[in-house]
Amino acid sequence: MILVRAPQPALDQAALTRRVIAACRDVIVEHEAYLCDLDCAIGDGDHGTNMRRGLEALTGESEHLATVPFSEAMIAAGTVLVMSIGGAAGPLYGTLLMEIGKGMAADPSAAFADVFQQAVAAVARRGKSSPGEKTLLDVLYPLSDALIEQMPLSLLAEESQGFANKTIDMKALRGRASFLGERSIGHMDPGAASCALLCATICRELVLAGAA
Ligand code: ADP
Ligand code: MG
């Protein structure tokens, strides 16, 4: 017997963009207090509020972002995040998205993993930071390595929390948490936590949409 699979419907890029933005907003709103609590322990307690403001601003631009080319959408989304998240995390998340957009615009045929790797390096330069210093880079670097190694996104969704967990034992060397020195050890970095939540959410949405 010959089994014929029904053809998959073409991926609706605009619908996917709207869904990804809405899912990211939802996960951050749901974890706002949790992210603020993490930031209370080693910072100033505003990370959840900052991130919610950013994701709500992004949601306000969702219709525009859904209808422009991917590279343009990433540059616009990064600009929105810089202006709306604020704090230390805003320029870092903003740089990540803007650099992805610029990389894709410069070479539309480039592999996403390569563009992402360059964008993460730009975030590190912006923060004058490196992995191992208890920041969101401790999620972005292993995430980038996993993309280069072509880890399936379904697995990556499960692994991302583990990247953030590794910041618990680290001593903060950048940002407000670095003022605590040794006392920062034993707490998860709030930026790493938000980054892991967003990564897992985006991966799940892409898998659900059949885009990965
Ligand atoms: P603020 O520290 O200004 O209150 P947030 O609380 O929104 O800003 O963000 C704090 C997060 O930003 C930290 O948990 C860390 O992950 C990240 N961060 C802060 N400074 C740096 C830096 N120099 N490089 C990389 N990430 C940083
Ligand atoms: Mg803070």
Side-chain angles (χ1 to χ4, degrees):
M1 185 172 69
I2 300 171
L3 287 175
V4 181
R5 285 185 66 187
Q8 296 289 309
L11 187 68
D12 181 343
Q13 199 65 45
L16 179 59
T17 302
R18 287 187 201 99
R19 274 215 301 277
V20 167
I21 293 173
C24 287
R25 189 261 328 270
D26 288 351
V27 78
I28 291 299
V29 169
E30 195 183 322
H31 291 84
E32 179 181 356
Y34 163 74
L35 294 171
C36 283
D37 287 348
L38 292 178
D39 198 25
C40 265
I42 56 169
D44 58 356
D46 62 357
H47 188 62
T49 315
N50 292 345
M51 292 303 291
R52 178 179 52 75
R53 212 172 38 241
L55 271 297
E56 280 178 352
L58 206 58
T59 305
E61 294 298 315
S62 186
E63 278 315 303
H64 168 67
L65 297 173
T67 49
V68 295
F70 180 73
S71 56
E72 202 180 309
M74 292 303 272
I75 294 172
T79 310
V80 170
L81 292 187
V82 172
M83 291 191 305
S84 55
I85 296 179
L92 301 173
Y93 272 114
T95 296
L96 179 70
L97 298 200
M98 287 191 282
E99 291 295 322
I100 292 172
K102 285 185 205 162
M104 294 306 289
D107 180 4
S109 64
F112 181 79
D114 294 336
V115 172
F116 189 83
Q117 190 178 44
Q118 294 302 315
V120 171
V123 176
R125 286 195 298 277
R126 187 80 166 79
K128 298 187 175 58
S129 46
S130 318
E133 297 182 336
K134 198 180 182 92
T135 71
L136 44 77
L137 287 172
D138 291 308
V139 171
L140 292 178
Y141 270 92
L143 170 57
S144 174
D145 291 345
L147 289 174
I148 296 276
E149 288 159 18
Q150 302 189 337
M151 182 188 283
L153 295 194
S154 52
L155 189 55
L156 198 42
E158 285 164 25
E159 297 283 309
S160 43
Q161 184 57 47
F163 303 151
N165 290 347
K166 290 204 174 124
T167 65
I168 295 174
D169 294 335
M170 293 179 187
K171 178 173 140 186
L173 297 173
R174 292 282 174 249
R176 289 178 200 278
S178 65
F179 305 149
L180 291 182
E182 297 287 332
R183 281 183 294 135
S184 66
I185 298 172
H187 301 277
M188 191 186 304
D189 176 64
S194 63
C195 201
L197 286 170
L198 290 169
C199 167
T201 301
I202 293 167
C203 289
R204 278 192 206 106
E205 286 299 322
L206 292 177
V207 171
L208 274 175

